[in-house]
Amino acid sequence: VQLQASGGGLVQAGGSLRLSCVASERTFSSVGWFRQAPGKNRDFVAGISRSGGSIDYAEDVKGRFIISRDNALNTVYLQMNSLKPEDTAVYYCAASLGHPWMRTSYDLWGQGTLVTVSA
């Protein structure tokens, strides 16, 4: 299975973007989004179980970001609202055979997509 992330871009603070992560084939995995800002570690953002019934968010995105998936399209989305300059990072999607909150279990990674939020 390969993962392809897209949807990044430049947006002003307060704006919105929607990222997409498309899997090359049907996946029975949890899928998560991570981000890495320049000079910082890669951090968990959100994760969703295969059914969509279990979702986990990092504290600093709760209430602003929404993760969802469409299994018919093999796609997971990350709707990002009320964006802040500190959300600027390369965003990666990843798959895990574990629960979405098992942040160290993600072991299949897609390439990143850059999100830049201007002040």
Side-chain angles (χ1 to χ4, degrees), residues 3-6 18-27 31 33 48-50 67-78 93:
L3 302 176
Q4 179 85 22
S6 64
R18 188 177 78 160
L19 306 183
S20 298
C21 176
V22 180
S24 58
E25 58 188 73
R26 187 177 182 183
T27 175
V31 176
W33 287 96
I48 186 168
S49 62
R50 182 190 180 278
I67 189 170
S68 62
R69 68 189 296 164
D70 185 336
N71 288 333
L73 298 177
N74 297 335
T75 302
V76 172
Y77 303 99
L78 184 69
C93 60

Side-chain angles (χ1 to χ4, degrees), residues 30-112:
S30 296
V31 176
W33 287 96
F34 292 73
R35 65 186 180 186
Q36 187 167 22
K40 295 189 177 181
N41 294 328
R42 186 177 300 186
D43 293 327
F44 175 83
V45 175
I48 186 168
S49 62
R50 182 190 180 278
S51 69
S54 180
I55 289 174
D56 188 32
Y57 293 101
E59 284 297 322
D60 57 349
V61 305
K62 281 183 179 178
R64 300 189 298 125
F65 291 9
I66 300 170
I67 189 170
S68 62
R69 68 189 296 164
D70 185 336
N71 288 333
L73 298 177
N74 297 335
T75 302
V76 172
Y77 303 99
L78 184 69
Q79 178 67 43
M80 305 187 296
N81 302 317
S82 302
L83 283 162
K84 305 174 182 179
E86 51 263 44
D87 294 318
T88 294
V90 177
Y91 283 71
Y92 299 88
C93 60
S96 164
L97 293 177
H99 296 291
W101 61 83
M102 297 171 64
R103 301 176 182 188
T104 59
S105 69
Y106 291 87
D107 57 3
L108 178 67
W109 293 86
Q111 93 298 348

